Amino acid sequence: MTSSELWSRETADRYDAGETETSSPAVLGPTVAFLAELAGEGRALEFAIGTGRVGVPLRERGVPVVGIELSEHMAAVLRRKVDEDTLPVTIGDMATTVVPGGFTLVYLVYNTISNLLTQDEQVECFRNAARHLEPGGRFVIELGVPPLRFLPPGQVAVPFDVSERHLGFDTFDLVEQILVSHHFSREGSDGGDGDDGRYRRDNSRHRYAWPAELDLMARIAGLELERRVADWDGAPFTQDSGKHISVWRKPT
């Protein structure tokens, strides 16, 4: 068991409904294509596979996928989409859980490595990826760049979404490298008698890390940086990029 916060049954059951944009063909198409190319003719292992937003379409693309997931409730939602023989999932944490066989690709999407709230656990996650990779295999992480440049002196919060039905902002502990994502989501319909004006409040803790820190974790695990881009389409990573897709390779 790691410091990652467990997803409840209620949160798992509504997760997919809240991720319609990130589950769209416009988002998943480039994501799956990027990962499938790296997997090649081998198998892929997804750390924190969740409800299978990426793992299921990658499997449908023809890549054999295996998952590790800490929350039994999230795995149960995935299991409604695909059976165990088609996409095996082991319940456990991504820093220490080991599954049989070797893989040409291990990947972590959508900021999920930040669910590990200590540097030691994030280092162990890299080591666990290296443990599963065949020589020449790749470890891929999708992670946001900490938006600290938007924090003037004395401010601790940065908004990331202000829309009709959702308000989201992050608060930062700069000493511990912990951010808390706060979400206020409108309940009910888009108006009329079915909208009672209520909002649901959720929050989650994350440990943010800079790309250079991740590169050092990779070196500790015996992996080498091969590529870093700004998105799944391969746009160049610059000082203005809000996130990065990083690929580390296990030497042959």
Side-chain angles (χ1 to χ4, degrees):
M1 181 66 179
T2 72
S3 59
S4 296
E5 297 175 344
L6 276 171
W7 293 72
S8 67
R9 183 188 302 274
E10 179 184 6
T11 302
D13 285 342
R14 65 170 182 254
Y15 180 82
D16 285 350
E19 294 297 332
T20 53
E21 182 177 349
T22 59
S23 300
S24 68
V27 173
L28 282 182
T31 304
V32 170
F34 190 106
L35 296 173
E37 181 180 359
L38 290 179
E41 299 299 318
R43 300 194 304 158
L45 172 61
E46 181 171 355
F47 286 170
I49 194 170
T51 65
R53 181 182 67 89
V54 174
V56 170
L58 184 60
R59 180 65 184 87
E60 292 172 348
R61 180 71 174 260
V63 177
V65 177
V66 175
I68 293 175
E69 172 56 44
L70 184 61
S71 169
E72 295 185 15
H73 302 302
M74 294 288 277
V77 175
L78 180 151
R79 195 52 66 222
R80 300 170 195 164
K81 306 172 184 178
V82 62
D83 61 55
E84 176 70 17
D85 290 338
T86 303
L87 203 166
V89 175
T90 298
I91 302 300
D93 69 85
M94 56 186 161
T96 63
T97 301
V98 178
V99 298
F103 299 85
T104 56
L105 173 68
V106 179
Y107 66 95
L108 258 174
V109 297
Y110 209 23
N111 303 322
T112 311
I113 194 171
S114 69
N115 292 352
L116 298 171
L117 300 179
T118 69
Q119 186 184 69
D120 285 344
E121 289 174 345
Q122 291 180 353
V123 169
E124 289 306 313
C125 181
F126 271 83
R127 283 177 167 158
N128 201 28
R131 183 181 299 124
H132 286 91
L133 284 174
E134 297 175 350
R138 276 90 168 192
F139 182 35
V140 177
I141 284 181
E142 175 188 24
L143 185 63
V145 177
L148 301 190
R149 64 195 303 185
F150 298 112
L151 280 177
Q155 181 173 315
V156 297
V158 174
F160 58 83
D161 183 35
V162 180
S163 58
E164 181 67 25
R165 304 193 61 80
H166 178 255
L167 170 63
F169 61 93
D170 293 329
T171 54
F172 294 84
D173 179 337
L174 302 181
V175 174
E176 299 296 331
Q177 285 187 216
I178 296 293
L179 71 84
V180 180
S181 286
H182 305 265
H183 301 266
F184 292 83
S185 305
R186 190 72 173 265
E187 302 274 83
S189 65
D190 288 324
D193 296 337
D195 190 347
D196 58 11
R198 291 186 302 169
Y199 281 79
R200 182 183 71 252
R201 179 178 181 178
D202 301 293
N203 61 72
S204 58
R205 294 189 300 153
H206 307 269
R207 182 185 186 273
Y208 63 85
W210 299 96
E213 184 181 3
L214 299 181
D215 289 342
L216 185 56
M217 294 181 188
R219 289 181 62 186
I220 291 171
L223 304 177
E224 302 171 346
L225 180 66
E226 181 177 77
R227 184 183 182 196
R228 174 167 290 130
V229 293
D231 57 32
W232 295 107
D233 289 311
F237 178 74
T238 71
Q239 63 180 2
D240 296 319
S241 299
K243 73 172 185 179
H244 61 96
I245 314 296
S246 295
V247 182
W248 296 274
R249 184 172 181 270
K250 184 173 183 177
T252 56

